[in-house]
Amino acid sequence: MILSTFIRESHDAIVAEWESFARTLPMARTMSDVGLRDHCREMLLVVVADMQTRQTEGERATKSTGDAPPNTGADTAATLHGTLRQLAGFDLVQLVAEFRALRASVLALWKRHRAAGVDAPVGAAEIEEIMRFNEAIDQALAESVGSYAEAVMTSRDMFLAVLGHDLRSPLQAVSMSGQLLLKPNLSEKAVRDAGYRIQRASTAMSQLISDLLEFTRTRLGSGIPLERRTCDLGQVCAEALEIIRAGNPEHGFEEDIAVDLLMSGDAPRLQQALGNLLSNAVQHGDPGKPISLTARAADDDIEVRVANFGHPIPAAALQSIFEPMVRVPTAGKEVHEDSKTSLGLGLFIVHEIVTRHGGSVAVQSSEEAGTAFTIRLPRADGTPMKERLKTYTRHPASFY
């Protein structure tokens, strides 16, 4: 059986091999079977059609330079695959690895099929088939990588546009409040309100700039620096909640923070992570329903949960929600309604801080149960809990 015929008749086995490999990639752990098999069958059909199409030496030379055949366009299965993999949070190495695995799976399955049958030894015709197969896979890979790169550029442009919008809004609030303060005979209330607006706007801009600096630091390879000391995570939670509550008086908040939440960690960084989660809940939550913050001990870990009701996160986006510059629109909202947190920068910082502490962060979202981010942090620093509690009782300020 020639290779092109084998591919057409062994679709299911090849697609199963593709899915098995894709499942090993980090971003695929929460993807559905349909998402993992995305466009594999269609791409194989294109490969078979290409292999069975007569080709001159001139056409082969043109294809070898990376030029697409005349019948390909922006909506081929391979281009769509590249775009969707970028949206799902796959990096370029993982995308290329998928095609490498597809190539190896097809050739290995064909080899086993030939070994089990009575096919003649590999000759010139079979070598030609393999060459045509490799050409078709390379063409599909080029299309997929091209669309992936274009999606990355679009995502970055969108990121910068939204960032500019988010910085401009508080800056306008500062400017207008400054102009108001220049007017004579202002009432005490007007001065106080203008001060509050400036304070809130400054806090918003500071958070955006802080997140950008942290993102840049992680991309340069140094990671987010930590200064670990014994700290009371309950107090960290309370302070983070108080800051968000002061800046969002129109929202309701509920808290259930247990005692004895001492751990070894960087209190300011942990407060930054919790602040990002609470800000995310404010941004995407239903203003008519309270945001809850729960912190409690769980064996040798501490579990912190931030929950809100509102439009749920689409199931297909859950695996990429902590990736930076991957646009994940909230279900029920238009793309232009999402702010910087929906680009994943704030949540990316949360993930980096938590994992640097040796912890984990997960998200669950549904219409009925709402959206909940759960952080688990290890307590351990080598000091028994009773000794830490004694030290904290005598010298609480020493932990910060």
Side-chain angles (χ1 to χ4, degrees):
M1 184 184 297
I2 62 174
L3 180 55
S4 58
T5 302
F6 172 78
I7 294 173
R8 187 177 62 251
E9 296 184 0
S10 304
H11 255 132
D12 292 339
I14 295 171
V15 171
E17 290 268 350
W18 167 289
E19 181 184 351
S20 178
F21 171 79
R23 184 67 70 184
T24 66
L25 301 176
M27 297 310 301
R29 291 170 185 167
T30 59
M31 293 181 69
S32 66
D33 293 344
V34 174
L36 284 175
R37 297 184 179 206
D38 168 59
H39 293 100
C40 178
R41 190 177 300 276
E42 291 83 354
M43 285 190 289
L44 285 173
L45 290 175
V46 172
V47 167
V48 169
D50 184 86
M51 294 173 66
Q52 294 179 341
T53 301
R54 293 181 61 84
Q55 178 177 266
T56 65
E57 288 301 320
E59 291 171 335
R60 171 170 290 177
T62 299
K63 189 184 294 184
S64 68
T65 64
D67 293 335
N71 62 335
T72 60
D75 57 350
T76 65
T79 57
L80 291 174
H81 180 77
T83 300
L84 292 177
R85 283 304 195 238
Q86 191 276 332
L87 291 174
F90 281 58
D91 61 32
L92 193 56
V93 173
Q94 292 170 341
L95 176 67
V96 173
E98 283 192 301
F99 282 89
R100 185 173 63 246
L102 178 61
R103 188 197 310 266
S105 297
V106 169
L107 293 177
L109 288 171
W110 186 47
K111 179 181 178 181
R112 289 201 294 268
H113 171 78
R114 289 179 55 84
V118 291
D119 287 349
V122 174
E126 286 75 21
I127 293 176
E128 176 69 18
E129 281 275 297
I130 294 173
M131 290 175 62
R132 292 296 302 272
F133 169 71
N134 283 327
E135 287 176 1
I137 290 292
D138 288 342
Q139 181 64 48
L141 174 59
E143 293 174 7
S144 197
V145 169
S147 64
Y148 180 97
E150 185 176 349
V152 169
M153 292 179 62
T154 301
S155 179
R156 287 176 177 171
D157 291 343
M158 181 65 70
F159 172 83
L160 293 174
V162 174
L163 175 64
H165 176 271
D166 283 352
L167 281 173
R168 184 174 59 184
S169 296
L171 187 60
Q172 286 178 339
V174 171
S175 178
M176 294 176 63
S177 297
Q179 293 176 15
L180 178 64
L181 291 173
L182 292 175
K183 293 183 178 180
N185 304 321
L186 281 179
S187 67
E188 183 178 341
K189 181 179 182 303
V191 173
R192 185 170 59 252
D193 290 344
Y196 287 148
R197 284 194 296 271
I198 291 174
Q199 186 177 35
R200 286 195 297 269
S202 299
T203 300
M205 288 189 289
S206 176
Q207 183 177 349
L208 280 167
I209 294 171
S210 176
D211 283 352
L212 274 174
L213 291 175
E214 304 296 8
F215 170 68
T216 303
R217 183 181 286 113
T218 59
R219 281 302 187 255
L220 291 176
S222 58
I224 297 178
L226 299 181
E227 295 184 10
R228 288 178 176 270
R229 304 182 71 178
T230 303
C231 63
D232 181 1
L233 189 60
Q235 185 173 340
V236 172
C237 291
E239 291 177 355
L241 181 59
E242 186 58 33
I243 292 173
I244 298 299
R245 179 184 278 134
N248 300 275
E250 71 281 2
H251 277 269
F253 294 89
E254 296 177 348
E255 58 185 294
D256 181 10
I257 302 174
V259 297
D260 187 22
L261 297 182
L262 299 182
M263 64 168 292
S264 174
D266 188 321
R269 291 296 187 190
L270 292 171
Q271 183 173 316
Q272 179 185 5
L274 289 168
N276 282 357
L277 284 184
L278 290 166
S279 295
N280 183 74
V282 168
Q283 179 187 344
H284 296 291
D286 183 347
K289 296 182 179 179
I291 295 168
S292 67
L293 171 61
T294 305
R296 60 189 59 184
D299 298 326
D300 291 330
D301 295 337
I302 298 175
E303 182 178 287
V304 181
R305 185 172 181 269
V306 176
N308 65 273
F309 287 91
H311 294 292
I313 302 169
L318 290 177
Q319 75 274 0
S320 59
I321 195 69
F322 296 107
E323 290 296 308
M325 293 190 296
V326 174
R327 191 150 182 81
V328 182
T330 305
K333 282 192 174 183
E334 297 296 330
V335 171
H336 68 271
E337 294 179 313
D338 287 321
S339 186
K340 62 111 181 170
T341 307
S342 65
L343 292 173
L345 189 57
L347 296 179
F348 169 74
I349 299 300
V350 171
H351 181 268
E352 289 295 307
I353 291 174
V354 171
T355 53
R356 289 276 289 173
H357 278 84
S360 63
V361 56
V363 58
Q364 294 178 318
S365 186
S366 67
E367 188 74 40
E368 301 76 20
T371 298
F373 287 86
T374 303
I375 292 175
R376 293 185 69 90
L377 293 165
R379 291 178 180 267
D381 65 348
T383 304
M385 176 56 62
K386 290 183 179 179
E387 293 300 318
R388 283 187 285 159
L389 189 56
K390 286 180 183 178
T391 309
Y392 176 75
T393 304
R394 294 170 185 167
H395 309 286
S398 66
F399 294 125
Y400 295 94

